[in-house]
Amino acid sequence: MTRNADSLRIVNSRNGSPLEPVGVIGLGLLGTALCERLLAAGYPVFVYNRTQEKAIPLIELGAHWSDNPFIECDRVVVSLYTSDIVDAVLDKLEPGLRAGQIIIDTTTGDPTETLALGKRLAKSDVHYLESPIAASSEQTRQGEALAIVAGPEEAYHACRDLFDCLAGKSHFVGPWGSAAKMKLVNNLVLGLNRVALAEGLLFAEAIGVPMQNALDVLKDGNAYSIVMDVKGQKMVDSDFSTQAKLSQHTKDVRLMLTESERAGITLPLSNLHLQLLEQAEALGFGDRDNCIIIKAIEEAVRLQAEITS
């Protein structure tokens, strides 16, 4: 059931201007965190998801279900698994699209597909901003995310209030495709930092240095990375509750390797990383937090020991 957006506009207590309703499409880990931030800031939010049950906790927080948020909202945040799925969902909800609307797509997508999507929507005068989020769902919930934005720059500036709400920082990086590429660069370095930390902690334990001690020293030394704050304790505690699914990073690494082929270069560490991620998926870890890569490395070490014994 859809609600009338006009009756839900509320006043921004800071400057007296009305907060326009915002749509959120896709209520996975990231979409839910983004929706929570909008609700906490006082925006009227209309939500849509393939399975309506996922919307229930957000509706309890004050969100409103919509069969098509484009009908009620001029600005809509999209958070889905792949660019293909974004394309399919927009096809389904196309009757609600109209000139002047702005779509903020936080999906980590394929750069060629985001470029094509931006061009397609521009033909209908719909402004498309690709805006992948560099953060886990929990970091996003805490306001520690980075939004990487590409598309029409005037649309970016028209949505600065939303980006200030959704993420602690945002960078505008150029035309369509640029943000998707930058997110892959970010995730390449981030993922390898995570693997390096996992291997380092396992190495420490194997040579008699307790993992907790190793983590404490690493966080204060020149090997520090923010991954240690976000994932280090989870690895030490074997806490694999999901903040960002391992399978999502597997998808991202495949996109990296596809882009590197297009560019005519090889990514040796990312190829090895993909092998570890696929091994983790084969062990049934795909829906667990991506820090569970430490268990995949452990298993690889065990299997190698069996082969050589």
Side-chain angles (χ1 to χ4, degrees), residues 56-89:
I56 292 172
L58 293 167
I59 290 169
E60 290 173 351
L61 290 175
H64 307 275
W65 175 262
S66 172
D67 293 327
N68 188 341
F70 290 112
I71 294 172
E72 291 90 3
C73 307
D74 290 331
R75 301 184 294 179
V76 176
V77 178
V78 176
S79 185
L80 297 167
Y81 189 64
T82 65
S83 297
D84 285 345
I85 296 173
V86 173
D87 207 41
V89 169

Side-chain angles (χ1 to χ4, degrees), residues 5 9 20-25 46 66 68-78 89-90 93-105 117-118 120-130 151-152 154-156 158-159 162 176:
R9 289 188 173 86
E20 300 288 332
V22 180
V24 177
I25 294 172
F46 288 82
S66 172
N68 188 341
F70 290 112
I71 294 172
E72 291 90 3
C73 307
D74 290 331
R75 301 184 294 179
V76 176
V77 178
V78 176
V89 169
L90 291 181
L93 302 180
E94 188 172 9
L97 291 174
R98 59 186 179 276
Q101 286 178 308
I102 301 175
I103 296 173
I104 299 172
D105 182 7
L117 188 53
R120 169 191 147 193
L121 289 166
K123 291 177 181 177
S124 302
D125 291 324
V126 174
H127 308 299
Y128 175 73
L129 292 173
E130 51 166 337
E154 62 276 14
Y156 167 65
C159 291
L162 293 186
W176 296 309

Side-chain angles (χ1 to χ4, degrees), residues 97-235:
L97 291 174
R98 59 186 179 276
Q101 286 178 308
I102 301 175
I103 296 173
I104 299 172
D105 182 7
T106 66
T107 306
T108 298
D110 182 310
T112 59
E113 293 181 17
T114 58
L115 172 59
L117 188 53
K119 288 180 176 179
R120 169 191 147 193
L121 289 166
K123 291 177 181 177
S124 302
D125 291 324
V126 174
H127 308 299
Y128 175 73
L129 292 173
E130 51 166 337
S131 179
I133 301 295
S136 70
S137 58
E138 188 54 35
Q139 287 175 294
T140 300
R141 189 171 282 107
Q142 298 301 323
E144 299 169 358
L146 166 65
I148 306 169
V149 190
E153 191 167 3
E154 62 276 14
Y156 167 65
H157 290 299
C159 291
R160 283 304 300 267
D161 62 315
L162 293 186
F163 287 114
D164 289 346
C165 171
L166 297 171
K169 293 177 280 189
S170 64
H171 279 272
F172 181 80
V173 295
W176 296 309
S178 304
K181 290 176 180 177
M182 187 62 234
K183 177 64 185 298
L184 293 180
V185 173
N186 180 85
N187 280 11
L188 185 153
V189 176
L190 176 68
L192 293 179
N193 276 342
R194 193 161 49 237
V195 174
L197 175 61
E199 186 171 290
L201 291 175
L202 289 172
F203 175 55
E205 186 175 58
I207 62 175
V209 179
M211 278 194 188
Q212 186 65 63
N213 291 0
L215 179 62
D216 292 342
V217 173
L218 287 168
K219 288 172 74 171
D220 280 336
N222 61 359
Y224 169 78
S225 75
I226 198 169
V227 168
M228 294 176 189
D229 296 332
V230 179
K231 301 295 183 180
Q233 200 61 50
K234 284 173 72 66
M235 289 183 184

